Amino acid sequence: QVQLVESGGGLVQAGGSLRLSCAASGRTFSSYAMGWFRQAPGKEREFVATINWSGGSTLYADSVKGRFTISRDNAKNTVYLQMNSLKPEDTAVYYCAADRSGVGVVVTMGYDYWGQGTQVTVSS
């Protein structure tokens, strides 16, 4: 079992930055791929970014490419999402997720564990 706890959300003006963190419990974190997803009110949960077990491979949604950066620190059992140049349309609850395969995929069904989410609100 893996437990995931997100932090770092908040209210920020458009053009600002936030860094989300996701702390994982368990001894197998370094073997999991990690992903970030988000869900806005009335919309489906959507893929944001993923990173494979080693950190050597990342993938981003087109809507965040060039603005967001996913990274991980396996020694700290933590994955990060650095969000720059934030836009009002980035407003959502952000979730981190763990994929036991270690590869990292873009669909929600590919993930085995989920955090509770952290709210990000970007004002215009």
Side-chain angles (χ1 to χ4, degrees):
Q1 277 282 12
V2 174
Q3 292 186 325
L4 305 173
V5 179
E6 302 96 335
S7 62
L11 174 64
V12 64
Q13 289 188 331
S17 298
L18 283 174
R19 188 176 81 155
L20 305 183
S21 299
C22 174
S25 66
R27 297 172 293 177
T28 55
F29 173 80
S30 60
S31 68
Y32 290 9
M34 299 298 295
W36 285 97
F37 289 75
R38 66 187 182 186
Q39 188 166 17
K43 295 187 177 181
E44 293 187 353
R45 193 168 299 189
E46 65 174 5
F47 168 75
V48 174
T50 187
I51 187 166
N52 75 334
W53 67 274
S54 69
S57 178
T58 59
L59 189 64
Y60 297 91
D62 287 345
S63 59
V64 307
K65 201 171 295 183
R67 300 188 298 123
F68 291 11
T69 302
I70 188 171
S71 62
R72 66 189 298 158
D73 185 337
N74 285 344
K76 295 183 177 180
N77 279 18
T78 302
V79 62
Y80 304 98
L81 186 68
Q82 178 67 43
M83 306 186 294
N84 298 328
S85 303
L86 283 160
K87 305 175 181 180
E89 51 264 44
D90 295 318
T91 295
V93 177
Y94 283 70
Y95 299 89
C96 72
D99 166 17
R100 286 181 297 187
S101 79
V103 174
V105 295
V106 303
V107 294
T108 57
M109 65 177 64
Y111 290 82
D112 304 285
Y113 304 101
W114 291 85
Q116 293 299 307
T118 185
Q119 176 71 45
V120 172
T121 303
V122 184
S123 62
S124 57

